[in-house]
Amino acid sequence: MKGLVTKSTGSWYVVATENGESFDARIRGKFRLKGIKHTNPIAVGDEVEFSLDKDGIAFIEKIHARRNYIIRRSVNLSKKTHIIASNIDVAVVLATLKNPRTSTGFIDRFLVTAEAYHIQPVIVFNKIDEIAETEKEEYEYLKSIYTSIGYRIIETSATEGIGLQEIQDLLKDKISVFMGHSGVGKSTLVNALDSNLNLKTKTVSTFNKKGQHTTTFAQMYAWPFGGYIIDTPGIKEFGLVDFEKEEIQNYFPDIVKHKEECKFYNCQHLNEPKCAVKEAVASGKIAESRFDSYLNFIEETDESSYTKG
């Protein structure tokens, strides 16, 4: 039988069929041992083949090829990876200017991952009703960094109902995933788009201004307006996995735009002379925060290569 994985707790799964039936599922023991380097061999969004035992429990026997997926380093096993979700049409990074503040590094890490795995990325700035007049200039500059590159930005307030129709239009009839730090209002926004989901929410901690985790496992839900949302645990930080140092620049459209003008065709924009990318940073054509992210990612891949070696 063929089905779609709609829920994963790490050891148990839920598989749904085209006719609307759902089954609790597990993995065959031999399947788990096929040299899979991920901590979770099966992810929400996977299309699978399964069989039923006499008790009605589904046993997953095959995973169909994935169109794409989003991945991060395992929290506890740094040499392994964790697939967050697969077969995604739209990936939404939910960001906030404050309570908690989303760093440009986190946004850039998300965008690089989406670019690398061929997933359409969208940046949603939530809680815009909380931005004070004195903070608007900072916020507009932050937005301009990404709109100038060509990324789509949607402004929302889940509590005030701002931007909800625009998000519905974007997500209609597509499989989407929302990512962001805990506390950015992910569950609140999903609930605003479909009150029947009633996902658990928590307020931002008053002690450290960081969000409290509310989602502990990935799960897929159907939107009432068509399509699906994959709800995922809040993630403090992505780790760039299986990236080569030389390829990182290819996932920065603003760097790609200028790198052809560098003196050396294999310029890494580090210490090379006559580097057009570094000149673009100096002249403001590339935001310093973006170039800082690029340098940080280069350093990460170097450290990862050293660890592997």
Side-chain angles (χ1 to χ4, degrees), residues 6-296:
T6 61
K7 183 177 180 178
S8 167
T9 65
S11 56
W12 280 90
Y13 306 89
V14 174
V15 178
T17 63
E18 289 184 353
N19 61 12
E21 290 184 289
S22 291
F23 300 93
D24 292 329
R26 303 205 75 167
I27 306 173
R28 292 277 186 205
K30 61 180 181 180
F31 179 77
R32 190 187 296 275
L33 301 175
K34 289 184 178 178
I36 296 173
K37 297 180 181 179
H38 310 303
T39 57
N40 59 326
I42 293 177
V44 169
D46 278 344
E47 297 174 350
V48 298
E49 299 284 345
F50 68 96
S51 61
L52 297 176
D53 69 3
K54 59 184 176 58
D55 298 317
I57 300 296
F59 282 88
I60 298 170
E61 299 171 338
K62 178 183 177 181
I63 304 175
H64 288 274
R66 295 172 173 129
R67 289 188 289 116
N68 57 45
Y69 51 85
I70 288 186
I71 197 171
R72 67 172 170 86
R73 293 193 187 282
S74 171
V75 174
N76 298 319
L77 301 168
S78 60
K79 292 184 179 180
K80 290 193 175 183
T81 59
H82 183 84
I83 300 173
I84 301 166
S86 67
N87 298 320
I88 304 158
D89 296 311
V90 180
V92 175
V93 59
L94 206 61
T96 45
L97 187 66
K98 59 182 182 179
N99 298 326
R101 183 181 183 88
T102 303
S103 68
T104 52
F106 181 86
I107 296 173
D108 293 338
R109 194 178 298 272
F110 176 91
L111 294 173
V112 164
T113 302
E115 293 277 359
Y117 291 103
H118 307 289
I119 304 169
Q120 177 190 352
V122 176
I123 304 170
V124 171
F125 282 106
N126 195 29
K127 303 184 182 181
I128 60 166
D129 56 309
E130 297 181 11
I131 299 175
E133 194 66 36
T134 55
E135 299 166 325
K136 286 188 176 179
E137 184 176 349
E138 177 189 4
Y139 172 62
E140 290 300 325
Y141 172 70
L142 180 62
K143 275 201 311 179
S144 70
I145 291 175
Y146 297 102
T147 54
S148 64
I149 299 170
Y151 289 113
R152 180 174 178 179
I153 287 178
I154 298 177
E155 297 176 315
T156 63
S157 168
T159 56
E160 299 298 320
I162 299 171
L164 299 187
Q165 186 60 55
E166 188 175 357
I167 291 186
Q168 286 188 17
D169 293 342
L170 169 71
L171 303 181
K172 180 177 172 60
D173 298 329
K174 296 177 181 177
I175 294 178
S176 56
V177 61
F178 284 21
M179 305 301 300
H181 290 305
S182 294
V184 296
K186 178 166 59 72
S187 296
T188 302
L189 181 58
V190 171
N191 288 341
L193 291 167
D194 182 6
S195 59
N196 292 325
L197 291 180
N198 195 29
L199 299 186
K200 293 181 180 179
T201 62
K202 286 187 180 179
T203 56
V204 174
S205 167
T206 55
F207 174 71
N208 59 12
K209 298 299 182 183
K210 293 182 179 180
Q212 304 177 61
H213 291 282
T214 56
T215 307
T216 57
F217 50 80
Q219 186 164 358
M220 180 184 287
Y221 301 93
W223 290 121
F225 48 83
Y228 298 89
I229 171 69
I230 300 175
D231 188 39
T232 63
I235 293 176
K236 291 182 179 179
E237 203 60 85
F238 283 107
L240 300 180
V241 184
D242 295 330
F243 281 73
E244 298 296 333
K245 180 174 72 172
E246 293 75 18
E247 70 175 316
I248 293 290
Q249 61 179 302
N250 297 329
Y251 308 127
F252 281 80
D254 36 350
I255 290 179
V256 170
K257 182 178 178 180
H258 296 279
K259 73 173 187 175
E260 297 300 326
E261 300 170 17
C262 293
K263 179 178 180 180
F264 298 102
Y265 77 93
N266 60 347
C267 184
Q268 293 294 300
H269 326 302
L270 301 174
N271 302 309
E272 300 91 340
K274 296 185 179 180
C275 172
V277 169
K278 293 183 74 172
E279 291 172 2
V281 175
S283 65
K285 295 178 181 177
I286 296 176
E288 288 187 13
S289 63
R290 291 279 292 171
F291 191 63
D292 287 343
S293 290
Y294 168 72
L295 295 178
N296 288 335

